[in-house]
């Protein structure tokens, strides 16, 4: 145990975690390069070559040059995902017509018959409501 002191272990762990953080940043930059619509194909190829051939310097240059637009694209994508999720929830929770299955006419007529039997609806109101569901 004496041949690898505790301080060296801490330095090794620090360098390992910095390397892992850099890998995450590298994948984030590569993803952003392909997601960006304002760069041409040749521009994407150039940034990719720079990020892969000069890994640390290329990623650092990309973050310095395009960091602001990278953040804006992340925000735009998060907002689009949130809007899509809200739309899905709205459609799934809608009672009729907007995506959730509508309850059948038989169920509705059964409810109307119960209301009529309890005296809540008159015969005329029952017939009008029944005509709406059957139409």
């Amino acid at each position: 145990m004496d041949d690898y002191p505790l301080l060296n272990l801490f330095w090794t762990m620090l360098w390992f975690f910095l390397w892992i953080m850099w890998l995450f940043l590298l994948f984030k930059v590569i993803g952003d390069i392909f997601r960006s619509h304002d760069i041409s194909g040749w521009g994407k190829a150039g940034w990719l070559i720079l990020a892969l051939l000069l890994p640390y310097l290329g990623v650092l240059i990309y973050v310095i040059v395009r960091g602001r637009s990278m953040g804006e694209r992340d925000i735009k994508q998060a907002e689009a995902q949130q809007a899509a999720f809200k739309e899905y929830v709205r459609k799934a929770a809608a009672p009729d017509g907007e995506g959730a299955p509508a309850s059948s006419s038989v169920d509705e007529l059964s409810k109307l018959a119960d209301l009529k039997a309890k005296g809540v609806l008159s015969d005329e109101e029952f017939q009008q409501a029944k005509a709406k569901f059957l139409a």
Side-chain angles (χ1 to χ4, degrees):
M1 290 302 273
D2 290 332
D3 45 330
Y4 203 71
L6 188 60
L7 185 60
N8 285 352
L9 177 66
F10 288 137
W11 276 112
T12 302
M13 286 175 36
L14 174 71
W15 285 112
F16 178 73
F17 287 120
L18 287 175
W19 182 69
I20 294 295
M21 286 175 30
W22 175 79
L23 276 176
F24 276 108
L25 186 60
L26 175 67
F27 289 125
K28 179 86 170 154
V29 164
I30 290 174
D32 189 68
I33 289 171
F34 286 112
R35 185 177 51 183
S36 180
H37 296 292
D38 60 336
I39 301 176
S40 68
W42 287 106
K44 289 179 183 185
W47 277 115
L48 196 59
I49 289 170
L50 182 66
L52 294 176
L53 291 183
L54 300 171
Y56 297 104
L57 187 61
V59 167
L60 182 64
I61 291 171
Y62 185 86
V63 170
I64 290 171
V65 172
R66 298 190 45 88
R68 181 179 302 265
S69 62
M70 188 172 161
E72 291 169 356
R73 278 186 294 280
D74 282 343
I75 291 171
K76 190 175 180 181
Q77 181 181 13
E79 288 172 349
Q81 287 176 341
Q82 182 68 24
F85 176 73
K86 285 182 179 180
E87 178 68 19
Y88 170 75
V89 169
R90 187 185 63 78
K91 283 185 177 181
D96 288 333
E98 286 288 324
S103 58
S104 69
S105 298
V106 175
D107 292 337
E108 295 297 327
L109 287 173
S110 172
K111 290 177 188 176
L112 285 174
D114 288 341
L115 289 174
K116 181 184 174 209
K118 292 178 183 175
V120 176
L121 292 177
S122 68
D123 285 335
E124 184 179 319
E125 292 171 331
F126 175 74
Q127 292 302 326
Q128 288 174 354
K130 185 171 124 179
K132 283 183 187 177
F133 285 114
L134 295 177

